Amino acid sequence: MERERFGSRLGFILISAGCAIGLGNVWRFPYITGEYGGAAFLVMYLVFLVVLGLPIMVMEFAVGRGSQRSIARAFNVLEPAGTHWHKYKWVGIAGCYLLMMFYTTVAGWMLAYVPKFASGQFVGADSQATSAVFDAMLASPVECVFWMVVVCVVSILICSLGVQKGVERITKAMMLALLAILGVLVVRALTLPGAADGVAFYLLPDFPKIFGSPDMFFEAAYAAMGQAFFTLSIGMGSMTIFGSYIDKHRSLMGEAATIGVLDTGVALATGLIIFPACFAFGVAPDSGPGLVFITLPSVFEQMWGGQVWGTLFFVFMSFAALSTVIAVFEGILRFSMDQWGWSRKRAVTVNLIAIPLLSLPCALGFNVLSDVVMPGVGDIQTVEDFLVSSNIMPLGSLVYVLFCVSRRGWGWKNFLAEANEGEGLKFPRWLRPWMRFGVPVLVVIILIMGWVPIVSSWM
C-alpha cells in the first residue's frame, strides 16, 4: 500500500500546530503567565521551549520521516539488530488512548457551550448563574456522554476520509478559522474600557514573583519547564506520524520552530482575550475550567454583543480541542494500519466503537462515577490526565532523546542527517552533550516532580 502524504507544507505545519494547540495550552498558559510574573515568566518559558521542547519535537519528527512509519513500526525500522526500542510503541499508543479517554469529554464540554451561548442561555447571567449551568452539565450523564460521542464520531469520520482529503483539508480549515476568530476576539478585548490593566497584569514583568525567594524561583522554573514540555504534545508518537507524512524538502528544526511560534502565539493571544476582558469588568481571573466555563461566560454577557462574542470564543475553543483530537485519532488509526496491516476502513470501524466506550468512565466521572477517586490525585479525569501528562509524555520523550543520541539506538549521526536534510534552520551538531545529558536530566526532574505532591499526600 502506497504511503499517504500531506498535500502541502502548510498542511503539515497547521496540523502539527493543531495537535500542539490544546485546551490546557489556551486556558492554563495565560493564567500561569500572570501568576508567575507576566513577561518575566514568559522569558523563562521561551528559554525552556528552545532548549527542551523544540529539540525533542525535532527528534520525534526525524524518527517519523526517517522510518516513514508511525510509532508502531518506526523504531523497528531504525533500531540496531538485537535492541528493543520498539517495545515503547505499546506505551506510546496506550498514552494516545488514555489521552482520548478524557480529552474527548472536555472537548465535548467546549462543543456543548457553542449552542448554549448561541441560543441565549447565558443572557443576563452572573457568575453564580453560569456556575449553575456548568454544574448542571457535569451532573447530567446523558449530556456529557452525548457530546463526548459527537466529538468521537465527527473526528473519526474526518480521519476516515484519508490524510489529504480528511485530516489535512479539514484541520487546515479549522486552524485558519481558529486564527481568524482569535484575531477578532483579541481586537475586541483590547478595545474594552480598562483593558490596559489586564494587559499590564499579563505582560508587564513582575520580577519579585520569580526572584522573591529561592522557593519562588524554583516553583516558577518548574512551571515554565513543564509548560514548555507539555505544550508541544511530544513523547507519544503524535509527531512521529506527521513526520512520516512529509517530504525531505525542508529541515526539521525550521519546521519545529514555526510550529512552536504558532503554538506559543495562540497561547499568548488567548491571554490577551481573557485578562483584558476580566479586568475591564472587575472580575478576578481564575484558573482551569472555572475560568473558561464560569468566569468568562459572565464576562462576555456584560459586553455589548456578548452573545456573539461568547459564541465565537467557544467556537475557537472547540476548534482548538477538535484539532488535537483529530491529530491523535489519526495516529491511533495509523498505528493499527502499520502494526497489523489493517485498511483505514477497518481501523475506523474498530476505533469508532472502542474510543467512545473507553471514554465513558471519564464522561460519567462527574456524575454516576463521581465517587471514584484516587487518593492524592483526584477523579477519573485527573487520574487519566496525570498518567499521560506526568508519566507517559516525559517517559516517551526520554526514549526518543536516548534513541537519537545513543550508539545503541539510531545514533547521533543518523539523526542529524535526517533532521538537517532540506532547506531551512539546521539542528546544531554541537548540541550533542546537551541532548545526551542536559535534556534527560530535565525530563527526569519533570517525572519526579509530578509524583512528589502525590507521594507526599500518601505519607
Side-chain angles (χ1 to χ4, degrees), residues 105 117 125 132 187 210 224 255 294 339 391 429:
T105 295
F117 247 105
V187 171
I210 288 183
E255 305 296 74
I294 298 172
Q339 179 66 26
N391 293 275
R429 183 178 298 273

Side-chain angles (χ1 to χ4, degrees), residues 141 360-373 379-380:
L360 277 178
C362 180
L364 300 175
F366 301 91
N367 36 78
V368 177
L369 301 178
S370 59
D371 292 335
V372 179
V373 296
D379 56 32
I380 293 173

Side-chain angles (χ1 to χ4, degrees), residues 6-9 65 246-252 255 418-426:
F6 286 130
S8 66
R9 179 189 175 214
R65 193 171 74 170
I246 59 174
D247 56 38
K248 297 178 183 284
H249 294 157
R250 304 285 303 184
S251 65
L252 296 175
E255 305 296 74
E418 184 61 51
N420 290 337
E421 185 166 349
E423 300 177 359
L425 188 65
K426 306 299 182 184

Side-chain angles (χ1 to χ4, degrees), residues 127-322:
S127 59
Q128 187 174 0
T130 57
S131 177
V133 172
F134 183 57
D135 290 342
M137 181 179 70
L138 293 190
S140 171
V142 173
E143 189 171 3
C144 286
V145 170
F146 172 78
W147 287 108
M148 176 272 289
V149 171
V150 169
V151 168
C152 291
V153 171
V154 169
S155 301
I156 292 181
L157 290 182
I158 289 171
C159 292
S160 73
L161 299 175
V163 172
Q164 288 190 25
K165 293 182 179 180
V167 176
E168 182 175 1
R169 184 178 64 178
I170 303 298
T171 305
K172 276 171 64 175
M174 280 201 309
M175 288 300 295
L176 292 173
L178 180 153
L179 295 174
I181 294 170
L182 182 64
V184 170
L185 288 169
V186 167
V187 171
R188 181 66 189 104
L190 292 178
T191 54
L192 290 169
D197 292 335
V199 175
F201 170 80
Y202 184 36
L203 292 181
L204 288 182
D206 187 355
F207 290 108
K209 285 188 178 179
I210 288 183
F211 298 105
S213 70
D215 287 345
M216 284 184 184
F217 176 79
F218 286 116
E219 186 178 336
Y222 176 66
M225 183 165 57
Q227 182 65 27
F229 181 82
F230 297 125
T231 189
L232 297 177
S233 298
I234 46 182
M236 298 190 303
S238 297
M239 297 302 167
T240 304
I241 182 60
F242 300 143
S244 76
Y245 287 158
I246 59 174
D247 56 38
K248 297 178 183 284
H249 294 157
R250 304 285 303 184
S251 65
L252 296 175
M253 188 67 198
E255 305 296 74
T258 301
I259 293 162
V261 168
L262 264 176
D263 177 67
T264 302
V266 169
L268 276 171
T270 306
L272 292 177
I273 299 169
I274 293 172
F275 291 109
C278 286
F279 275 77
F281 294 102
V283 177
D286 192 6
S287 65
L291 174 63
V292 174
F293 295 107
I294 298 172
T295 305
L296 283 179
S298 64
V299 168
F300 284 128
E301 279 310 310
Q302 297 178 64
M303 291 185 190
W304 176 83
Q307 188 173 339
V308 174
W309 300 118
T311 302
L312 281 176
F313 179 79
F314 281 101
V315 169
F316 156 66
M317 293 296 285
S318 296
F319 282 172
L322 286 171

Side-chain angles (χ1 to χ4, degrees), residues 115-128:
K116 286 180 189 294
F117 247 105
S119 64
Q121 190 169 341
F122 291 102
V123 172
D126 57 14
S127 59
Q128 187 174 0

